[in-house]
Amino acid sequence: MNLWELFGMAIGTVRSNLLRTILTMLGVIIGVSSVITLVSIGKGSQETIAKQYESLGTNLLVVNLRGTGRATQLNYDELMQLESTNGIKSIAPTMTKSSANVKYEKDQQTYNVIGTNDRYLEMQQGEVETGRFLAQADLDFRNHVAVIGSDIATEFFGKDDPIGKEINISGYVYTVIGKLKTKGSNTNGTSLDSSIFVPLNTLQRDFKLGTIRSRLRRSGFQHGYDAGAERSEHLFVQQI
């Protein structure tokens, strides 16, 4: 039996069982398509998550203090002394006034207000669209100034320039000095777009928030900060 005879027999079998052939082909097509789709979705999700982590920075460490007592308390000056430690490039302590009532003229919304320093924006890889971010002088003089995310700017000011406008944050008046570019949410769910940033000690004084409980620490090394992290945490315990 030669090749052409085998081919003829195959064609004859297909024609005599056309419905079964179609169903078999359909099953194979659906199966292969499903596998390709699942693999594509998985790869896409992996790339999305990887980009979110990259947006935070591969050398960024977040430290949260838990518990009570002096061992969990650290003031701003004590914390910033750790920047001189080998392997630490910069530190941005943070305090948050959650769901604060924010008003501009007759419009009122609730947003998270984050107290921090001038290093925070670079560490979060955010950018200023108009105006400026916080400066060390704002902390030194406890200025009532605020930098707003793009969502907040749109909500209160639309297409108008928000710089120089005054907003009321839970009874305290702050002057807008900057507006951030749209960035989206980080992997921890926080968003620069819907947050307000003010000098840490101003927020601490106005709302009596107590001691610093959270900080961001950026290593001076892009992919190898483990040793620096151990040193940082060791000094952190010694310092308090």
Side-chain angles (χ1 to χ4, degrees), residues 30-185:
I30 292 175
V32 173
S33 300
S34 298
V35 171
I36 293 174
T37 301
L38 289 173
V39 171
S40 299
I41 293 174
K43 188 174 181 179
S45 300
Q46 183 179 7
E47 291 177 353
T48 299
I49 293 172
K51 288 180 180 179
Q52 287 181 332
Y53 274 105
E54 287 175 0
S55 70
L56 281 176
T58 56
N59 57 348
L60 184 66
L61 178 67
V62 180
V63 178
N64 293 301
L65 303 181
R66 304 297 182 188
T68 58
R70 183 68 180 101
T72 62
Q73 299 174 7
L74 197 68
N75 64 40
Y76 182 80
D77 292 333
E78 290 174 328
L79 183 57
M80 298 312 293
Q81 288 178 12
L82 298 178
E83 279 194 332
S84 61
T85 304
N86 183 34
I88 296 179
K89 181 180 179 181
S90 54
I91 295 174
T94 62
M95 303 184 80
T96 302
K97 171 67 174 173
S98 301
S99 301
N101 292 318
V102 183
K103 295 173 61 178
Y104 175 70
E105 295 182 344
K106 296 181 179 180
D107 194 358
Q108 178 172 322
Q109 303 291 334
T110 58
Y111 294 106
N112 289 336
V113 181
I114 299 174
T116 187
N117 63 6
D118 56 316
R119 297 150 174 82
Y120 183 87
L121 186 63
E122 180 184 0
M123 296 173 73
Q124 291 284 15
Q125 298 189 354
E127 296 181 65
V128 173
E129 184 172 304
T130 57
R132 66 174 178 85
F133 195 67
L134 303 174
Q136 182 59 45
D138 296 320
L139 278 80
D140 294 339
F141 295 100
R142 296 186 177 181
N143 293 335
H144 278 76
V145 294
V147 179
I148 60 176
S150 58
D151 290 348
I152 300 173
T154 301
E155 172 64 34
F156 286 144
F157 307 105
K159 294 183 179 180
D160 295 339
D161 186 3
I163 307 303
K165 303 291 178 61
E166 293 184 340
I167 57 176
N168 187 303
I169 302 177
S170 297
Y172 294 91
V173 177
Y174 286 75
T175 302
V176 177
I177 60 170
K179 170 190 170 184
L180 302 183
K181 290 184 179 180
T182 301
K183 185 176 187 291
S185 298

